[in-house]
Amino acid sequence: MLIIPAIDLKDGHCVRLKQGLMEESTIFSEDPAAMARHWVDQGGKRLHLVDLNGAFAGKPINENAIKSIVAAVGGDIPIQLGGGIRDLDTIERYLDDGISYIIIGTAAVKNPGFLHEACYAFPGQIMVGLDAKDGKVAVDGWSKLTGHDVIDLAKKFEDYGVESIVYTDIGRDGMLNGVNIEATVALAQALTIPVIASGGVTNLDDVRKLCAVQAEGIIGTITGRAIYEGTLDFSAAQTLADELSA
């Protein structure tokens, strides 16, 4: 079970949002590269980056900060990146920069043809981020709820060849009130590709609960606010996950 630190980038800083609201952001570091190095030194095995400005603008905005992170930790551990990725040229550029996996979110839902092309052009390196509330997928930085059922959509994307699904329960993200285990397991059981849980990890109990169901196909969880505010000791969480996964 991977415990994956999130580095959310806004205006070149490492921040966290509360329920996806740009105006509800807290700056945790003005040096994202140093923060990335810190999590690797603490035992991190993968990093999760989000270009928040990019997600809202629909194009890369924090590329310099992303390059600095790759320079600091690239080669040590895989890095997955999402936010504002809408074309194949952007994907190619980020992969050339040293990013391991590209996460496509809103564009996957709105333009499945683009996702299909990306999976074909970059096999094994495309992930899909599905944000859902009450089983329905949300897009555009969570501002719009669609009528798409999250499991139906995930199955379709699995057929396209996506490497894995990052599943966020947007009712819980940044709220520190636990992971929606039931919904995450239901999604993982419906798929053959791995699922990474996101949203709501608060403490070691959440890590234990996720490790208990990892055999269903849940390979990791992304954590942000909890490790920055100290409700979850990151190093202890990864150590516990390693012990429970052994």
Side-chain angles (χ1 to χ4, degrees), residues 47-139:
L47 286 180
H48 176 79
L49 308 186
V50 181
D51 181 348
L52 289 172
N53 302 102
F56 283 85
K59 61 183 180 182
I61 301 290
N62 286 288
E63 199 163 355
N64 287 338
I66 291 161
K67 283 182 175 178
S68 73
I69 290 169
V70 173
V73 304
D76 291 355
I77 60 170
I79 300 173
Q80 59 193 46
L81 167 70
I85 298 166
R86 303 282 192 270
D87 58 68
L88 297 181
D89 287 346
T90 301
I91 295 174
E92 186 169 29
R93 194 165 75 245
Y94 275 138
L95 294 176
D96 286 346
D97 285 345
I99 296 295
S100 312
Y101 302 102
I102 297 296
I103 303 166
I104 300 174
T106 292
V109 182
K110 290 187 162 182
N111 185 2
F114 162 58
L115 177 66
H116 203 272
E117 288 176 359
C119 290
Y120 181 77
F122 309 104
Q125 293 184 289
I126 304 299
M127 303 164 69
V128 165
L130 288 178
D131 306 326
K133 188 172 185 181
D134 301 326
K136 299 299 181 187
V137 174
V139 294

Side-chain angles (χ1 to χ4, degrees), residues 162-240:
V162 303
E163 194 271 337
S164 53
I165 300 285
V166 176
Y167 174 68
T168 306
D169 183 321
I170 63 176
R172 302 195 184 209
D173 186 80
M175 301 305 287
L176 300 180
N177 59 1
V179 182
N180 189 334
I181 298 281
E182 193 179 333
T184 307
V185 167
L187 179 61
Q189 287 175 335
L191 304 171
T192 58
I193 56 173
V195 171
I196 295 173
S198 172
V201 173
T202 308
N203 52 41
L204 291 176
D205 273 348
D206 291 321
V207 174
R208 287 188 188 94
K209 288 173 186 170
L210 281 166
C211 286
V213 294
Q214 68 177 339
E216 305 294 348
I218 301 164
I219 62 162
T221 183
I222 295 162
T223 178
R225 186 171 287 274
I227 55 174
Y228 291 106
E229 295 194 347
T231 65
L232 181 68
D233 179 315
F234 172 72
S235 184
Q238 187 59 70
T239 300
L240 175 65

